[in-house]
Amino acid sequence: MISLKVPPLGESIVEATVSRWTKQEGESVAAGDTVVELETDKITVEVPALKAGVVTKHAKKEGDVVKVDEVLGEIDDSKTEGTAAPATAQPATAEPPKADAAPAARAKTDAAPASAEVKSSPAARKVAAESGVDISAVQGTGRGGVVSKPDVIDAARGSATKPDAAGAAGSAQPASSATKEPAPQAPPGAKLGGDADPARAGRGAQPGSIPRETREKMSTRRKKIAEHLLESQHSTAHLTTFNEIDMSAVMSLRDRLKERTEKEHGVKLSFMPFFVKAACLALKGFPNINAQVDGDSVVYKHYVHMGIAVASDQGLVVPNVKDADSKGMIQIARDITDVAKRARDGKLTMDDLTGGTFTITNGGVFGSLVSTPIINFPQVGILGLHKIQDRPVVIDGKIEARPMMYVALSYDHRIVDGQHSVLFLVRVKELMEDPATMLVD
């Protein structure tokens, strides 16, 4: 028997949350197969089987918080799925009257791995289990088709109307079954004082119903995100300055280059590489915005590890592009695409998430017009990008409609003066409005 234990999780990380069991009890595994996924405050850790065998026990449930070296489950390396099958088949032969239960049991065990393979969030699986919804039949609307909690709730509400239809169809059945129809309907109505909403009225008796409130523990990652944001607010002299950028020139340049770039380099050229390049050039003139406070000292970083905020199904993560200041536009674009994909797939490493010196966050992809981003502590600056929107501006004495973007710089006023923050943002604006200067700067 082999104990499946929580592996070392990385520097300063002592606990994780059991996110998903990819192998259920009774399933066979090959050496190297992922048995369970753990979610830390930074990355998702896959725990593999050290030897081939059969998973005999889950010592921890999905959602449980575990510590390093704690036992997660057990694998019997002396068994395989084929050898374990006869033992489970014996009760069916010993009790012929219960033979009908065997196919149902087999169907249930067959369905378990299928539902386990569905990409879904822990909250979605919890709600599905509570409401009796088959999560494998739910259409996911999250990134990459991941089933989210709202997807399950919508599916449950849809299924809540099915018992009513079944009742109507059953009215033509014998009286013995028809007498059962009013029973489940009356108690819910009595409990709710005659609630006119059929979906609510049925929630006490119908398996597909959803309670009006649910309580769930924060995941390890969500707790850490909350702690980190509060630490930033409490530990810095937080201030934000704003400007706006005419995106006409960079949009025109991108339109001319994107097809060629994708064809020759296999990279889709977005606006983010332009902003990364502009920020790196601006940071050279204002090194205190690329610094860090350490006690009563200021540590200046003579390199730029550019953090890119990425929204994933597990929460916000900020992987960084190493030495972005020494890379060309195409390489920056390639690196951004790579880290963003790994972030959404839960494949980031600790190296991806540590060492950042400055961060860019883009709320514009979700439609945000303006915001005040929170500093990614212990960094001292973060650049916020927003939605591009046509607005009237005065050009050479004439009013024209131009694609404009508000940009925001949140900074730590302890070491960044207001003058430097404004001039930094003005420099970014100048570079973006005349992108050719980035090639000769």
Side-chain angles (χ1 to χ4, degrees):
M1 196 74 70
I2 301 173
S3 293
L4 198 65
K5 295 185 177 182
V6 179
L9 301 171
E11 185 180 356
S12 77
I13 302 178
V14 296
E15 66 178 24
T17 301
V18 178
S19 173
R20 184 169 72 105
W21 281 97
T22 60
K23 297 294 183 181
Q24 305 304 314
E25 292 181 356
E27 280 193 72
S28 63
V29 293
D33 282 356
T34 299
V35 181
V36 60
E37 293 177 355
L38 305 179
E39 180 187 280
T40 73
D41 59 322
K42 295 183 181 294
I43 59 174
T44 298
V45 178
E46 296 180 345
V47 182
L50 300 179
K51 291 185 178 180
V54 172
V55 178
T56 58
K57 180 182 179 182
H58 287 176
K60 301 293 181 181
K61 298 181 294 184
E62 292 181 358
D64 285 355
V65 176
V66 294
K67 297 185 180 300
V68 174
D69 212 35
E70 199 168 342
V71 175
L72 295 165
E74 293 180 348
I75 296 175
D76 189 344
D77 57 341
S78 66
K79 291 182 179 180
T80 63
E81 194 172 31
T83 59
T88 58
Q90 287 176 2
T93 57
E95 300 180 31
K98 296 182 180 180
D100 291 342
R106 284 195 297 271
K108 186 175 181 180
T109 56
D110 289 343
S115 62
E117 293 172 3
V118 175
K119 294 176 67 176
S120 57
S121 68
R125 293 192 292 273
K126 181 179 179 182
V127 173
E130 291 174 350
S131 56
V133 173
D134 181 5
I135 200 166
S136 64
V138 178
Q139 182 69 37
T141 60
R143 294 181 185 275
V146 172
V147 178
S148 63
K149 182 177 176 180
D151 294 333
V152 178
I153 292 175
D154 290 343
R157 285 173 179 165
S159 65
T161 60
K162 293 180 181 178
D164 296 335
S171 60
Q173 294 176 355
S176 59
S177 62
T179 55
K180 296 179 183 178
E181 296 297 333
Q185 296 174 2
K191 284 182 182 179
L192 297 172
D195 196 328
D197 186 346
R200 290 183 182 177
R203 73 177 184 269
Q206 296 172 359
S209 62
I210 298 294
R212 296 182 69 179
E213 292 183 0
T214 59
R215 180 184 293 269
E216 59 185 40
K217 290 183 66 176
M218 282 188 181
S219 67
T220 300
R221 183 172 299 175
R222 176 52 58 186
K223 284 192 295 183
K224 195 64 178 180
I225 290 172
E227 291 169 4
H228 187 65
L229 293 175
L230 284 175
E231 182 184 23
S232 177
Q233 289 279 38
H234 295 160
S235 302
T236 64
H238 213 281
L239 198 61
T240 305
T241 186
F242 302 91
N243 211 317
E244 63 177 347
I245 297 174
D246 183 346
M247 297 290 289
S248 301
V250 75
M251 288 176 71
S252 176
L253 178 60
R254 173 179 173 266
D255 288 343
R256 292 202 312 269
L257 295 178
K258 66 178 182 180
E259 185 176 343
R260 174 183 165 187
T261 301
E262 187 169 358
K263 184 178 180 180
E264 294 182 2
H265 302 280
V267 175
K268 291 185 177 180
L269 193 60
S270 66
F271 294 119
M272 184 61 79
F274 291 95
F275 276 103
V276 170
K277 191 67 176 177
C280 287
L281 293 172
L283 287 171
K284 287 183 178 180
F286 303 95
N288 54 332
I289 302 178
N290 194 51
Q292 180 179 324
V293 177
D294 185 11
D296 59 357
S297 300
V298 178
V299 180
Y300 293 93
K301 309 296 178 72
H302 304 297
Y303 56 89
V304 179
H305 288 349
M306 185 63 72
I308 307 294
V310 179
S312 69
D313 292 304
Q314 293 76 35
L316 180 71
V317 289
V318 189
N320 58 82
V321 176
K322 305 296 184 186
D323 297 309
D325 57 318
S326 64
K327 294 178 178 178
M329 194 81 70
I330 299 300
Q331 188 58 48
I332 290 173
R334 185 176 287 113
D335 289 353
I336 290 172
T337 301
D338 180 51
V339 296
K341 183 179 185 304
R342 284 189 282 121
R344 296 186 181 105
D345 292 343
K347 303 295 184 183
L348 291 173
T349 65
M350 288 299 298
D351 185 57
D352 292 324
L353 294 159
T354 54
T357 63
F358 185 81
T359 294
I360 299 179
T361 180
N362 186 7
V365 296
F366 304 110
S368 173
L369 189 60
V370 67
S371 67
T372 55
I374 297 178
I375 298 167
N376 186 20
F377 188 78
Q379 297 170 23
V380 299
I382 180 171
L383 178 64
L385 311 181
H386 300 93
K387 179 182 179 181
I388 299 173
Q389 188 175 61
D390 283 347
R391 288 196 288 274
V393 294
V394 179
I395 306 293
D396 296 329
K398 297 179 181 179
I399 297 176
E400 297 183 15
R402 291 291 183 96
M404 305 298 291
M405 176 193 285
Y406 289 121
V407 289
L409 176 72
S410 291
Y411 59 97
D412 189 344
H413 211 347
R414 292 179 300 167
I415 65 169
V416 180
D417 294 334
Q419 177 191 16
H420 289 170
S421 67
V422 172
L423 292 176
F424 170 86
L425 214 48
V426 168
R427 183 59 178 150
V428 171
K429 171 184 170 70
E430 291 172 348
L431 291 166
M432 291 299 294
E433 291 185 343
D434 188 7
T437 57
M438 291 192 235
L439 303 177
V440 296
D441 202 307

